[in-house]
Amino acid sequence: MKNFKVQSYIGAAALFMVILASSCNKDFDKVIPEAPENSANVDFKVPKVLFIIADGARGSSVRDAATDNIKGLLSNAIYSWNSLGDVAENNATNWADMMTGVKKEKHNVLTEDFAGSKLADYPVIFKRMKVINPKLRIASFATSAGFKNNLTEGTDVSELVADDESLKSRMVQFLQTDTASIVVGEFSAIQKAGMAVGFDNKFADYKAAIVDFDKRVGDLVAAVKGRPTYNKENWLIIVTSNRGGAFTLPPAEDDKTLFSNTNANTFTIFHSERFKPTFIGKPFLGNTFTGKAIRFLGDPEKTQGFVTQSLSSNYNFGEDDFTVSVKIKKGSPKDTGGGKYWYEWPSILGKRNNVGWGGSSPNPGWDICLFYNRWRLMEQGGADNQNGEEIAGLDFSGDTWHDLTFVVEKKTDGKRYVRLYTDGVKGITPAGSGENNNISKDDRALAGKPNFDNDAPMRVGFQQGEINGGKGYINVQLAELRIWRKALAENVIKQYACEPFIDSSHPDWNLLVGYWPMNEGTGDILKDQSVMAADFTLQGTRNWEQFSDLICSPSNTNLGTLVPKNSDIPTQMLSWFNIARQEIWGLDGRVWISN
């Protein structure tokens, strides 16, 4: 990802400066205020924002429609047709992201009635701006009562208008005469058309609604540029959609990442006469992985495989180092109440008699389990490690392939440590949170003197144990399971994590004690290609399925840093008005800067 830089000029000599964050994945915390030099000859322009929201406008549909006025802004804009809303299929959640600068995990706006919201803790950004600069005059015009009644705190003018054409006319009138610093308009006709016929240009009424919206944008931009004080003002024009809408993509267009979620597909344009054209396209989403794999299902299908008891003893490592790596593609559990790929604690593979951790009875061993949108290593056994520990990795998306790797290593201090990698990226997260926050890159020291040895068979797939109802029902495909009697080096893990296969060119090939490609495509045996020849024998329901999917696609969390998202908009406005964001606000957005 590249860093974007912007150069702006005030009169002939003033420089608009932006401090960039040290990493593209870190939000920008502060913007140096734009201000004139100490010269009486500098003409300081007053910052202004026009913020136009099109409910239900899919980014790809706006891109492909006859939207001449919107596209006319692009020669001086930072823009994307692949920006992201929330996957929630409601307006309120996405509006709240746009108006508060935080995501639903914080503002808790989950339904159209705003029930249970935490807007008192994470208020509309205008309220925060008014505390810093009470002189800001802010106006909001909306066609939706939910927007007006819940998300206009801090405005000086808040009006509910009957329809999009009336809204445009009222805003044009207001822009021609008023001195407001920020003017917001929420348009809903595209959403209504999509709900009636479908969210794609193949439906004439939906396409016509986009074209009508484009004409209204043209009228609003003309009203801004026709202001008698326009030459003394510095306008940022934001045109965006809160979300897209439901539509089934042709198979060739479905990459099975968040970018193929038509409900989350938005467009975003940040226009200023000072900006150079900066297009933010869809990022690289990973390599292609093709083959056949077993679909492992939970109870009652109970798809599982076991290595014989005698050969399983090869995977009792005592105090030796070892590494386990597996490729996984998640489908949905039976209960999707937490999310489409949200799981609560089922194991997908391990060496242990019972899944779970803690308790007074010894239960030595380890499991890789699915945990919310993430995964976790559960380990237990050995002196002073009877209760064990659950160690959570990073989150990863569903319906594409990912690599999960853990390393157990004894260091010079005599302690054993664990490292976790998700698609080759090292990181451990808090075990009790559904968020990918507070990521630790440190190795985790295990308590006591762990020893995971047991008489359990090496297992892949279903296991009874720590399962929370339908959220614990596994629905996954697995491939490329590899076990080394060595703690693999980090650079080796990174190099091979997103490679579909390995062979004898792998630097640690000779230390493999288990290698199951799991790509036979038929039958009940998963062959071990290592010297151990420890094959898995499958039991339960066994269905081989052809696949051709991406591998190591960025998680939804990471994708939100690569393209604009709804919660970026308040942060962009703070930057425009030279208001430094406060850490206590907990904003989730970042600033986008032009070339």
Side-chain angles (χ1 to χ4, degrees):
M1 174 180 177
K2 67 179 181 178
N3 293 323
F4 300 107
K5 300 178 182 177
V6 64
Q7 292 181 339
S8 304
Y9 296 89
I10 302 174
L15 180 64
F16 180 79
M17 300 176 61
V18 177
I19 294 180
L20 295 180
S22 60
S23 167
C24 68
N25 289 331
K26 182 178 179 182
D27 290 339
F28 297 93
D29 293 328
K30 183 178 179 181
V31 174
I32 293 179
E34 177 180 7
E37 294 179 344
N38 295 323
S39 168
N41 296 323
V42 175
D43 183 17
F44 176 70
K45 291 190 174 185
V46 179
K48 303 271 188 178
V49 168
L50 172 62
F51 180 16
I52 305 170
I53 303 169
D55 294 343
R58 281 182 56 211
S60 57
S61 294
V62 175
R63 177 197 63 201
D64 297 338
T67 50
D68 295 341
N69 292 296
I70 290 173
K71 292 170 184 173
L73 300 172
L74 303 184
S75 58
N76 297 100
I78 306 159
Y79 67 100
S80 177
W81 308 115
N82 297 290
S83 51
L84 294 172
D86 191 88
V87 296
E89 296 183 8
N90 68 73
N91 290 320
T93 297
N94 286 284
W95 287 336
D97 286 5
M98 301 172 104
M99 302 306 290
T100 65
V102 301
K103 293 183 284 188
K104 64 186 178 186
E105 290 79 9
K106 294 178 182 176
H107 62 60
N108 205 45
V109 176
L110 305 177
T111 57
E112 297 286 15
D113 61 4
F114 289 80
S117 77
K118 297 180 181 178
L119 293 175
D121 299 323
Y122 298 98
V124 173
I125 198 65
F126 302 146
K127 181 178 180 181
R128 299 197 187 281
M129 296 174 78
K130 280 292 191 74
V131 172
I132 305 298
N133 185 354
K135 294 182 179 180
L136 285 178
R137 177 169 165 80
I138 303 171
S140 174
F141 303 91
T143 59
S144 302
F147 186 96
K148 177 190 182 300
N149 295 337
N150 296 280
L151 295 169
T152 57
E153 185 178 14
T155 61
D156 301 280
V157 177
S158 177
E159 297 181 11
L160 183 65
V161 186
D163 54 51
D164 278 22
E165 185 61 22
S166 300
L167 174 62
K168 183 266 297 184
S169 298
R170 176 68 181 107
M171 289 181 69
V172 166
Q173 178 190 45
F174 188 85
L175 286 165
Q176 289 171 337
T177 60
D178 203 271
T179 61
S181 299
I182 301 174
V183 182
V184 181
E186 176 262 326
F187 292 78
S188 58
I190 298 174
Q191 166 105 33
K192 292 174 182 176
M195 294 294 293
V197 299
F199 290 83
D200 188 74
N201 286 343
K202 66 182 287 186
F203 305 108
D205 289 352
Y206 184 74
K207 185 175 182 179
I210 291 175
V211 173
D212 289 342
F213 172 75
D214 178 71
K215 294 174 182 176
R216 293 173 182 129
V217 169
D219 291 342
L220 292 170
V221 172
V224 166
K225 294 185 176 180
R227 289 168 59 85
T229 53
Y230 178 71
N231 289 333
K232 296 181 179 180
E233 297 168 343
N234 182 23
W235 280 88
L236 173 66
I237 298 176
I238 304 171
V239 188
T240 187
S241 48
N242 69 335
R243 68 182 183 96
F247 176 70
T248 301
L249 292 174
E253 298 178 21
D254 185 0
D255 59 22
K256 298 181 180 178
T257 72
L258 185 58
F259 288 111
S260 291
N261 184 325
T262 58
N263 188 75
N265 173 215
T266 66
F267 76 99
T268 302
I269 297 170
F270 298 119
H271 168 84
S272 165
E273 290 186 347
R274 300 178 176 190
F275 289 169
K276 295 180 180 180
T278 304
F279 173 63
I280 305 168
K282 184 188 296 186
F284 174 69
L285 295 175
N287 299 319
T288 300
F289 186 25
T290 301
K292 280 191 173 182
I294 283 283
R295 182 166 295 278
F296 290 91
L297 301 172
D299 194 354
E301 294 86 354
K302 298 182 179 178
T303 314
Q304 57 190 177
F306 295 99
V307 172
T308 62
Q309 191 101 18
S310 59
L311 290 174
S312 291
S313 63
N314 292 317
Y315 308 108
N316 286 335
F317 295 106
E319 295 187 5
D320 291 345
D321 299 344
F322 68 101
T323 301
V324 178
S325 174
V326 68
K327 301 287 192 287
I328 179 173
K329 185 174 78 167
K330 290 187 294 187
S332 296
K334 285 185 175 179
D335 182 348
T336 58
K340 188 175 182 181
Y341 306 107
W342 179 282
Y343 282 89
E344 294 188 2
W345 316 315
S347 175
I348 59 168
L349 68 92
K351 189 177 187 302
R352 209 174 193 194
N353 282 311
N354 296 292
V355 178
W357 70 287
S360 57
S361 300
N363 185 23
W366 58 267
D367 285 278
I368 291 179
C369 300
L370 299 181
F371 171 64
Y372 300 166
N373 289 318
R374 293 178 277 154
W375 64 288
R376 65 181 182 179
L377 170 67
M378 298 203 326
E379 56 78 17
Q380 185 176 353
D384 300 321
N385 193 42
Q386 291 302 313
N387 285 328
E389 190 174 1
E390 56 175 319
I391 304 168
L394 307 180
D395 70 356
F396 62 102
S397 59
D399 275 342
T400 60
W401 288 90
H402 296 273
D403 181 272
L404 311 180
T405 298
F406 74 87
V407 179
V408 177
E409 181 177 14
K410 188 174 183 179
K411 296 192 178 183
T412 55
D413 61 3
K415 295 182 179 180
R416 301 185 85 186
Y417 289 78
V418 165
R419 295 182 264 130
L420 267 57
Y421 297 85
T422 308
D423 292 339
V425 178
K426 185 180 181 182
I428 293 173
T429 53
S433 169
E435 278 287 284
N436 230 29
N437 51 7
N438 300 320
I439 296 172
S440 171
K441 299 291 186 180
D442 296 332
D443 297 3
R444 174 72 63 85
L446 300 178
K449 295 183 178 181
N451 186 317
F452 310 137
D453 290 358
N454 57 46
D455 60 2
M458 184 69 202
R459 169 192 49 82
V460 62
F462 171 78
Q463 176 75 311
Q464 292 282 7
E466 198 165 336
I467 295 172
N468 186 11
K471 294 185 179 72
Y473 174 86
I474 63 169
N475 174 15
V476 301
Q477 290 177 289
L478 302 174
E480 290 292 305
L481 173 58
R482 309 159 186 171
I483 301 178
W484 285 267
R485 188 179 286 274
K486 179 183 179 180
L488 293 193
E490 184 161 319
N491 66 316
V492 173
I493 293 172
K494 289 181 177 180
Q495 180 179 352
Y496 289 93
C498 299
E499 293 295 326
F501 310 102
I502 62 170
D503 56 25
S504 59
S505 65
H506 189 285
D508 297 300
W509 177 263
N510 292 332
L511 292 173
L512 277 168
V513 291
Y515 177 32
W516 301 269
M518 305 171 70
N519 63 356
E520 284 79 3
T522 186
D524 298 332
I525 301 297
L526 304 177
K527 297 291 291 185
D528 177 14
Q529 295 187 7
S530 78
V531 295
M532 299 297 178
D535 300 342
F536 283 106
T537 300
L538 294 171
Q539 300 178 9
T541 301
R542 303 177 293 284
N543 292 316
W544 289 94
E545 297 179 13
Q546 184 72 42
F547 65 85
S548 181
D549 304 293
L550 295 172
I551 186 170
C552 291
S553 297
S555 69
N556 293 348
T557 301
N558 290 334
L559 286 175
T561 69
L562 302 178
V563 296
K565 59 185 181 297
N566 285 342
S567 58
D568 292 341
I569 292 169
T571 310
Q572 199 81 19
M573 286 195 285
L574 289 174
S575 170
W576 197 251
F577 287 96
N578 310 309
I579 298 174
R581 58 191 290 174
Q582 307 298 311
E583 186 174 349
I584 195 173
W585 295 347
L587 299 182
D588 293 325
R590 59 160 292 181
V591 177
W592 291 92
I593 312 298
S594 89
N595 285 319

